[in-house]
């Protein structure tokens, strides 16, 4: 290989800077041509790019990318990630700047990626030059940073295969319509036969086997860009759906999915539903999102990793107690970039393959201007937040109980999982769609009213009502004002009439707990009380997405609006995290766990007025309104005032740690510009 210096000396020699005799001009010219050709070829030929291993085994957790021989490296040069390898240069999944390597200035270096999802096609990596003078703010990502133009490719790696396309991936559970059932869904690269085998104990000879349904969707079904464009679309594989039946209540079952011919998943386990249990445990949050280990078109949610980590800690502490997850909208934040869904399901699999994972629809799952069932008042509210997915990945990849279905509007699979309910132990859980009409007379309103009417308060003394866009929040969300007005007019009377205990919302990426409230009036301002006749509203959109306008004034942003804390707002937290719900027949406790330390930062407990051993009390409550003074008085409650000071300190610490962590992640990237997005 010629060095740049050596090439320069040779050129000097043949272009007269040396003392060569004029008679040798013909020879000089030939030599010049030879050297020029060598020099021109050098830049293209000597830059190498490798990605290893070429095939990741089940234990390989990293991909290493190495390059060398890059002349005049520039701070914006990058490696782009592709799958399938036939993708055009500008249809990359994402990219990494070479300056993430300490040796990049020497024209060589190494970058690593954690194991990437099995996209059922190989990956390939390509190295591009990106001269600083060529970046443009006309082609930008969601953070308003320039996107690579993919014009100057200088090296291509070999293909990297992650797993077997036929292997079952993205396994996740959900409750089904019957108490003695559990649904399992998973993805394979082909639609061939797959089954579910399950049983009590790990001994497979005693296991039952059930078949599966299989569905998929196509690029033409997507409603808009980027979901239907070559940039955003990737083949989603085939989604399998199996129903385990005849389960005994409250027992740990083991299962695996796949087939003898195409291979099996690992063996997972779950604790079956127990509708007669005297305890209910759930982990609830909204707006979780996905961590993606490279820069892509949208900002992704690194904080979601912490949320999953702490919930896993809690699950391990549960032992054989049944519990489930509730993720109330804005799920993966794929927004039309198909492979982000694959990252998401890989990320939640450690939870969702071992515990039911329940969802409702958020604006980032559907929101699309031509939504055929958009209410009139939603003009100006419902927009393009779904990235053209129009609910199809959400509807095919998840299957919740119930049968609520509406046409998507473009001939693709129907939109499902809109509104449904189920009992879990002592709590009746209701899920609504804030993306669907809910005013009096609508199908959804009729469902919600009938569902709340028939709740057996003896069996489930508590009702938890959930939807994505909040009815109460002290954040700005001025775009949603008309929607909130409709919710207050049509839904709040339902919640009050039927004694809903807790109403949970997402969309605002913060935690905020309101007092038990009716038409903006507080019925109780403590954190431990007998159900007073109206629900507490809690915003729990702090799962991972970090776009949010602030509440408090900032001296360096004097023009930003300020959102003071109203009287009815009992607690506001800006830290990422989730909520834990634990309910017995006597008491429902909701706690807010912060991600920086996994500790509880807020808590409220609501007493039903029932005592589990007292059947008379239970009968008295059945079907009747619960109000202050009715039923058994609560015992002397534990108060949590003492945690206030340490909580504030912990929150400040959490902000600092989170900020520093994000800064660290942003090394060798564009500096994100804060914006509002929910
Ligand atoms: Fe949202």
């Amino acid at each position: 290989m010629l060095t740049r210096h050596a090439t320069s000396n040779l050129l000097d020699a043949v272009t007269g800077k040396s003392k060569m005799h004029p008679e040798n001009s013909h020879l000089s010219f030939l030599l010049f041509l030879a050297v020029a050709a060598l020099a021109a070829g050098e830049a293209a030929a000597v830059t190498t790019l490798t990605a290893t291993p070429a095939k990741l085994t089940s234990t390989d957790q990293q991909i290493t990318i190495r390059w060398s021989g890059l002349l005049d490296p520039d701070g914006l040069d990058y490696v782009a990630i592709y799958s399938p390898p036939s993708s055009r240069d500008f249809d990359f999944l994402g990219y990494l700047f070479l300056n993430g390597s300490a040796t990049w200035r020497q024209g060589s270096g190494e970058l690593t990626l954690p194991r990437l999802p099995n996209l059922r096609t190989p990956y390939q990596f390509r190295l591009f030059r990106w001269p600083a003078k060529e970046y443009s703010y006309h082609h930008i990502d969601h953070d308003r940073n320039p996107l690579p133009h993919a014009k100057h490719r200088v090296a291509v790696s070999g293909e990297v295969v992650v797993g077997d396309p036929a292997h079952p991936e993205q396994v996740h559970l959900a409750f089904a319509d019957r108490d003695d059932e559990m649904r399992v869904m998973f993805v394979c690269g082909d639609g061939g036969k797959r089954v579910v085998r399950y049983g009590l104990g790990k001994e497979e000879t005693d296991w039952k086997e059930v078949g599966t349904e299989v569905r998929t969707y196509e690029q033409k079904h997507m409603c808009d860009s980027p979901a239907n464009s070559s940039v955003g679309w990737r083949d989603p594989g085939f989604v399998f759906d199996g129903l385990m039946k005849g389960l005994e209540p409250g027992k740990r079952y083991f299962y695996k999915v796949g087939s003898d011919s195409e291979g099996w998943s690992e063996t997972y386990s779950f604790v079956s539903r127990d509708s007669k249990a005297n305890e209910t445990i759930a982990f609830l949050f909204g707006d979780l999102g996905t961590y993606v280990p490279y820069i892509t078109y949208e900002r992704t949610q690194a904080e979601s990793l912490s949320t999953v980590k702490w919930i896993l800690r809690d699950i391990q502490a549960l032992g054989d107690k049944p519990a489930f997850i509730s993720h109330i909208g804005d799920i993966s934040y794929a927004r039309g970039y198909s492979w982000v869904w694959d990252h998401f399901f890989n990320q939640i699999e450690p939870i969702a393959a071992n515990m039911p994972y329940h969802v409702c629809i958020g604006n980032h799952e559907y929101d699309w201007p031509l939504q055929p069932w958009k209410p009139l008042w939603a003009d100006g509210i419902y927009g393009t937040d779904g990235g053209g997915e129009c609910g199809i990945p959400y509807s095919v990849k998840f299957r919740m109980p119930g049968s609520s279905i509406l046409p998507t509007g473009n001939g693709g699979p129907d939109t499902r999982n809109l509104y449904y309910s189920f009992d879990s132990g002592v709590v009746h859980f209701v899920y609504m769609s804030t993306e669907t009409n809910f005013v009096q007379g609508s199908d959804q309103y009729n469902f919600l009213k009938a569902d709340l009417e028939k709740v057996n308060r003896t069996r489930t003394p508590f009702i938890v009502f959930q939807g994505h866009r909040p009815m109460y929040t002290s954040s700005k969300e001025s775009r949603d004002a008309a929607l909130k007005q409709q919710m207050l007019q049509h839904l709040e009377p339902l919640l009050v009439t039927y004694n809903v205990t807790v109403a949970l919302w997402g969309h605002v990426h913060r935690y905020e707990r309101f007092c038990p409230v009716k038409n903006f009036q507080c019925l109780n301002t403590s954190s431990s009380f007998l159900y007073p006749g109206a629900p507490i509203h809690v915003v729990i959109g702090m799962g991972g997405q970090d776009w949010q306008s602030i509440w408090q004034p900032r001296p360096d942003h004097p023009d930003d609006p300020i959102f003071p804390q109203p009287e009815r707002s009992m607690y506001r937290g800006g830290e990422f995290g989730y909520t834990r719900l634990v309910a017995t027949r006597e008491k429902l406790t909701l706690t807010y766990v912060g991600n920086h330390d996994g500790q509880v930062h807020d808590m409220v407990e609501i007493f039903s007025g029932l005592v589990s051993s007292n059947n008379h009390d239970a009968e008295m409550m059945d079907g009747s309104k619960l109000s202050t003074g009715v039923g058994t008085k609560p015992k002397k409650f534990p108060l949590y005032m003492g945690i206030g000071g340490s909580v504030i300190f912990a929150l400040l610490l959490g902000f600092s740690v989170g900020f520093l962590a994000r800064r660290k992640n942003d090394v060798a990237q564009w500096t994100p510009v804060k914006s509002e997005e929910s």
Side-chain angles (χ1 to χ4, degrees), residues 363-668:
N363 52 308
H364 286 295
E365 279 69 66
Y366 192 104
D367 218 26
W368 175 54
L370 298 181
Q371 177 182 332
W373 24 273
K374 182 166 66 176
L376 282 177
W377 46 262
D379 271 337
I381 301 173
Y382 296 177
T384 59
D385 298 339
E389 291 184 356
C390 50
I392 291 173
Y394 167 78
S395 298
V396 174
K397 291 171 185 288
F398 289 106
R399 184 167 178 185
M400 297 292 111
S403 56
S404 59
I405 282 179
L406 283 169
T408 296
N410 66 343
D414 289 339
T415 310
R416 67 182 180 188
N417 311 324
L418 291 167
Y419 40 86
Y420 62 97
S421 69
F422 56 81
D423 290 343
S424 176
V426 295
V427 182
H428 182 70
F429 290 89
V430 184
Y431 293 78
M432 73 163 290
S433 162
T434 54
E435 311 312 296
T436 312
N437 198 5
F438 51 75
V439 301
Q440 284 184 42
S442 66
D443 288 346
Q444 180 166 213
Y445 180 91
N446 292 339
F447 166 83
L448 295 171
K449 183 170 187 297
D451 185 79
L452 292 170
E453 245 170 15
K454 69 183 182 204
V455 174
N456 181 338
R457 302 306 285 264
T458 304
R459 186 174 164 192
T460 57
F462 299 107
I463 300 176
V464 173
F465 189 96
Q466 299 161 94
H468 181 63
R469 306 194 203 219
M471 186 184 297
Y472 284 94
T473 170
S474 63
S475 189
K476 185 176 67 168
E477 290 304 323
S478 56
R479 192 180 67 160
D480 284 351
L483 177 130
K484 276 190 286 192
Q485 192 277 328
Q486 295 289 332
M487 294 175 82
L488 287 162
Q489 179 182 340
H490 295 274
L491 294 183
E492 187 176 41
L494 275 186
L495 306 191
V496 172
T497 300
Y498 295 106
N499 294 299
V500 167
T501 319
V502 179
L504 298 174
W505 313 103
H507 196 55
V508 173
H509 305 137
R510 293 180 179 276
Y511 173 86
E512 184 170 30
R513 173 171 60 85
F514 288 86
C515 60
V517 62
K518 179 164 66 175
N519 194 24
F520 295 98
Q521 299 302 309
C522 269
L523 303 188
N524 191 307
T525 56
S526 76
S527 58
S528 182
F529 49 84
L530 188 68
Y531 182 72
I536 63 163
H537 290 251
V538 190
V539 175
I540 56 170
M542 69 298 180
Q545 175 62 285
D546 65 353
W547 257 304
Q548 196 59 53
S549 54
I550 59 156
W551 278 321
Q552 306 304 335
R554 289 184 293 177
D556 54 338
H557 290 71
D559 298 330
D560 280 353
I562 298 164
F563 309 104
Q565 188 165 12
E567 293 265 303
R568 58 184 170 276
S569 172
M570 297 289 101
Y571 188 98
R572 298 200 302 195
E575 192 185 354
F576 297 103
Y578 59 98
T579 58
R580 263 194 316 241
L581 183 150
V582 179
T584 61
R585 299 186 61 73
E586 296 90 347
K587 182 177 73 172
L588 181 151
T589 305
L590 189 73
T591 50
Y592 164 38
V593 182
N595 275 354
H596 83 277
D597 60 359
Q599 299 300 308
V600 172
H601 297 304
D602 185 41
M603 174 184 281
V604 61
E605 51 187 13
I606 304 165
F607 287 79
S608 66
L610 300 182
V611 175
S612 58
S613 59
N614 188 331
N615 289 332
H616 173 73
D617 282 349
E619 286 168 14
M620 185 176 70
M621 291 301 141
D622 186 17
S624 64
K625 278 194 177 185
L626 302 174
S627 59
T628 308
V630 177
T632 309
K633 292 269 188 191
K635 296 170 189 169
K636 190 174 183 182
F637 313 135
L639 296 176
Y640 298 91
M641 304 294 287
I643 60 174
S646 57
V647 165
I648 291 169
F649 173 75
L651 285 174
L652 288 171
L653 183 65
F655 273 128
S656 305
V657 170
F659 176 75
L660 289 173
R662 272 201 297 285
R663 290 286 301 208
K664 193 178 173 193
N665 291 341
D666 289 342
V667 169

Side-chain angles (χ1 to χ4, degrees), residues 88 123 137 204 208 283 321 366 376 434 493 543:
R88 294 176 297 182
Y123 286 89
Y137 281 94
E204 294 185 25
K208 294 180 189 172
F283 304 96
K321 286 187 176 182
Y366 192 104
L376 282 177
T434 54

Side-chain angles (χ1 to χ4, degrees), residues 3-4 12 161 190 195 227-228 234 256-257 293 335 358 371 373 412 436 462 477 550 567 600 604 623 627:
T3 65
R4 194 161 183 242
D12 286 349
V161 174
D190 65 89
V195 298
N228 65 2
R234 296 294 182 281
K256 63 181 184 180
V257 298
R335 291 167 284 189
H358 278 265
Q371 177 182 332
W373 24 273
T436 312
F462 299 107
E477 290 304 323
I550 59 156
E567 293 265 303
V600 172
V604 61
S627 59

